[in-house]
Amino acid sequence: TKMASDNEQKLDELTRKLGVQEDELKRAIERAEMAENKLKSIEEELQTVGENMKQLEKSAEKAVEREEKLKDKILQIQQKYKAAEGRFEYGEMNITKLNQRIDDIEDEIYREKLKIKKCADDLGETFDDMLANY
């Protein structure tokens, strides 16, 4: 009958549409699963990036600490250098004074030697006079 034929035709049409809808559903589920996998991958990558950032922050903190320690060390070395420089200048002044004192003493020794030579010469003349006259 015509009605049965129409109903069968509608059933075939609905069955075809259902098949198309099922195929579209299957593709949508596959895309959703791919998107979920991609999301998981991105989340893992994000976690790795987060961990790397934490390590970089720790490294940066350590670098800042090292920099501070090195700055302190530089300051200490500069202070020691200034103190050593002061001691060096003081030592140089003392050396200059000592050299002057040595020069003065050498001059004094030379003058005393001249006096001794004069005394020796005078004594020699006196002995010569004594031998000649007595």
Side-chain angles (χ1 to χ4, degrees):
T1 70
K2 176 150 173 68
M3 195 166 160
S5 170
D6 283 346
N7 282 340
E8 207 168 301
Q9 198 175 1
K10 283 181 184 177
L11 180 63
D12 286 344
E13 181 67 25
L14 287 173
T15 304
R16 188 188 61 77
K17 282 184 181 180
L18 179 62
V20 168
Q21 290 289 322
E22 284 175 343
D23 288 346
E24 284 181 12
L25 177 63
K26 193 187 288 183
R27 283 196 299 275
I29 289 172
E30 286 173 2
R31 285 197 309 270
E33 286 173 353
M34 282 174 41
E36 282 177 353
N37 289 338
K38 197 169 190 178
L39 182 62
K40 280 181 188 173
S41 171
I42 289 172
E43 284 174 344
E44 288 170 2
E45 199 174 315
L46 190 61
Q47 186 175 352
T48 303
V49 167
E51 288 168 6
N52 287 345
M53 282 190 61
K54 283 181 190 174
Q55 287 192 337
L56 285 173
E57 285 172 2
K58 285 180 187 175
S59 294
E61 286 173 13
K62 286 180 183 176
V64 167
E65 286 175 19
R66 276 198 315 271
E67 183 182 6
E68 290 301 316
K69 285 179 185 174
L70 290 173
K71 281 181 181 177
D72 288 346
K73 204 169 193 177
I74 287 170
L75 210 63
Q76 289 172 359
I77 290 171
Q78 285 174 336
Q79 290 169 348
K80 285 180 183 177
Y81 173 76
K82 282 183 182 175
E85 204 173 38
R87 288 193 309 272
F88 171 76
E89 287 173 5
Y90 179 74
E92 263 190 339
M93 287 190 321
N94 280 345
I95 288 171
T96 302
K97 286 180 184 175
L98 290 173
N99 282 334
Q100 183 63 48
R101 181 83 176 111
I102 289 169
D103 290 346
D104 292 347
I105 290 171
E106 284 176 342
D107 290 347
E108 199 174 317
I109 289 171
Y110 181 71
R111 285 192 301 273
E112 291 300 316
K113 281 183 178 178
L114 287 178
K115 285 181 189 175
I116 290 170
K117 185 174 183 338
K118 181 158 179 11
C119 284
D121 289 347
D122 288 350
L123 195 60
E125 282 178 27
T126 303
F127 280 138
D128 288 345
D129 279 350
M130 283 171 68
L131 287 174
N133 295 324
Y134 299 107

